[in-house]
Amino acid sequence: MTADGKSLEALVAFVEQTLLPSGFDIKTNKLVRDSDGNLIAEFDVQIRGKVGSTEIAWLIECRDRPSDGPQ
């Protein structure tokens, strides 16, 4: 596996999809733009689903940092 953000996002999404019950929706690399079309955010892994009668959603930020040097 190459050491890039997309591979890490795919791995995290795969693990979550494997562990979550059916009915949950997982999306990767969701881009959010403002009304002018400018990129304002990127959600690495977005998960939505229903637990009982409650809709829930959460985000996972994937960071592939170098092993040395500052954060």
Side-chain angles (χ1 to χ4, degrees), residues 13-21 26:
F14 171 76
V15 169
E16 291 296 331
Q17 185 70 55
T18 302
L19 297 176
L20 284 168
I26 299 175

Side-chain angles (χ1 to χ4, degrees), residues 1 16 34 45-46 66:
M1 179 180 290
E16 291 296 331
D34 65 13
V45 180
Q46 179 182 13

